[in-house]
Amino acid sequence: MNADTIARLLIIYTGGTIGMAPREGDKTLVPMGFRELKSHIPEISKLNCDFDMHAFSPPIDSSNMSPAIWIQLAELIYEQYDHYDGFIILHGSDTMAFTASALSFMLHNLSKPVILTGSQLPIGEIRTDAKENIITAMEIAAARRAGKAIVPEVCIYFDYFLFRGNRTKKFNTESFEAFRSVNFPPLAEAGISIRYREQDILPHPGEPFAIHTHLDPGISVLKLFPGITPGVVESALSAPGVKAVIVESFGNGNTSTEPWFMGSLEKAIKRGMIVLDRTQCDGGSVALGRYESGAYLKKIGVTDGNDMTFETAVTKLMVLLGQNLPVDEVKKLLETSLKGELTENK
Ligand code: ASP
């Protein structure tokens, strides 16, 4: 795109609170159509960019998000990639961090912004946060320097902050500050002007845009707690179709050192199961080897989840498992930063 031309954006409306209104009768929040949503925000026509819309029919509450819908989103962006300079995805906040993480691994060599946003209060409510979120997300998606997008990444914009999508988690159901990125700084902050931390933004790719559309959901999760029983551990490790288990461990990736527990993990790894150790703590990372249990986990072949969010661990595994790679290759890629999702060389 020429540096002086007006940016063209595609706004994809998937649903979520942002576009919900109380149903007559019981007042439950249900999704409204995009036309109605747009009528609440005439300001967007005044922004210095052109935009088109694509609305899901029907719009969904994001608790119904699924890998099949992530594939639809990736394919839509792929088909429309050459026609637009940036993409906005209006999405419910509940699973927005999963969708942003999934898309960060599905969209390859991205040179255009893909910004997800939503709101805590529906757009029709007087104190809504939806207007600021949409307007600033659009400004960021349209922003470029020397003809190139400033943020060629999948991001979440919410409550004055732009975050790398695969570093975020929904943190609060109540406050307007719904999202946090604990282990990585925000990519931009919106005040009177939008201040970008350009040193932290991913570089423009050298290769053409491509998408991954094979996802394998064969994952289980084992959240540890003192007193967990062998039956619960075994059911996570031997559920049908499961190729990888995310162990939500304590502190720096620690687990019980009881022989029955370590023995179960070791047997599963020998069968070809991927065991990814991710800490239950929101901040900081796994450090296998710092404590005795971690050193043993490393020895039996447990994979280090470093400082990845749960959302990233789930979606990165689905994308990697979907590529039918050898188990050792998947383990290596899990420990490597593919899209800035983990901190290498800590
Ligand atoms: N339940 C809604 C959703 O995720 C919540 C929201 O949009 O904030 O679709």
Side-chain angles (χ1 to χ4, degrees), residues 16-18 20 60-63 91-95 119-120 170:
T17 296
I18 194 162
M20 291 192 186
I60 59 164
D61 183 299
S62 79
S63 339
H91 195 292
S93 62
D94 288 352
T95 61
S119 66
Q120 292 283 64
K170 183 167 179 182

Side-chain angles (χ1 to χ4, degrees), residues 8-178:
R8 281 183 64 74
L9 305 180
L10 181 64
I11 302 178
I12 303 165
Y13 171 49
T14 67
T17 296
I18 194 162
M20 291 192 186
R23 181 166 55 197
E24 270 187 39
D26 67 0
K27 299 282 173 243
T28 307
L29 285 177
V30 289
M32 58 180 155
F34 191 78
R35 205 182 300 262
E36 206 181 334
L37 183 144
K38 204 178 134 203
S39 70
H40 288 280
I41 183 164
E43 295 91 334
I44 55 174
S45 320
K46 295 192 197 145
L47 284 171
N48 191 25
C49 58
D50 285 338
F51 61 90
D52 293 319
M53 278 109 189
H54 177 101
F56 274 31
S57 178
I60 59 164
D61 183 299
S62 79
S63 339
N64 282 319
M65 191 46 69
S66 66
I69 304 179
W70 293 334
I71 294 170
Q72 271 181 42
L73 281 169
E75 286 177 342
L76 175 64
I77 291 171
Y78 185 75
E79 281 156 21
Q80 300 298 333
Y81 197 71
D82 291 339
H83 306 302
Y84 295 96
D85 302 303
F87 299 84
I88 303 284
I89 302 178
L90 302 181
H91 195 292
S93 62
D94 288 352
T95 61
M96 192 186 292
F98 285 93
T99 300
S101 301
L103 289 177
S104 77
F105 301 112
M106 295 168 78
L107 307 179
H108 253 307
N109 302 321
L110 195 58
S111 60
K112 303 183 179 188
V114 175
I115 314 286
L116 288 93
T117 194
S119 66
Q120 292 283 64
L121 280 178
I123 200 156
E125 296 208 6
I126 295 175
R127 292 181 56 250
T128 187
D129 50 334
K131 292 188 182 191
E132 200 292 313
N133 285 347
I134 297 184
I135 289 168
T136 307
M138 287 176 72
E139 274 198 42
I140 292 171
R144 57 214 141 109
R145 209 177 303 296
K148 283 182 161 186
I150 296 182
V151 193
E153 289 203 32
V154 180
C155 297
I156 288 183
Y157 178 77
F158 222 94
D159 196 39
Y160 302 101
F161 285 99
L162 181 75
F163 299 115
R164 174 165 298 152
N166 59 32
R167 290 291 197 154
T168 53
K169 94 182 242 100
K170 183 167 179 182
F171 158 80
N172 201 314
T173 60
E174 182 66 25
S175 149
F176 287 136
E177 184 203 1

Side-chain angles (χ1 to χ4, degrees), residues 253-293:
N254 304 313
T255 65
S256 159
T257 51
E258 294 252 21
W260 69 263
F261 180 80
M262 288 292 182
S264 295
L265 293 191
E266 192 169 2
K267 263 191 272 147
I269 292 168
K270 285 203 173 123
R271 288 200 308 268
M273 178 76 75
I274 294 165
V275 176
L276 178 65
D277 186 346
R278 205 201 75 86
T279 175
Q280 294 177 19
C281 299
D282 288 333
S285 72
V286 166
L288 294 183
R290 177 172 293 181
Y291 296 92
E292 188 194 7
S293 80

Side-chain angles (χ1 to χ4, degrees), residues 215-220 240-245 273 317-318 321:
L215 275 73
D216 184 338
I219 294 165
S220 73
V242 167
K243 298 176 186 142
V245 55
M273 178 76 75
L317 269 168
M318 285 188 187
L321 293 176

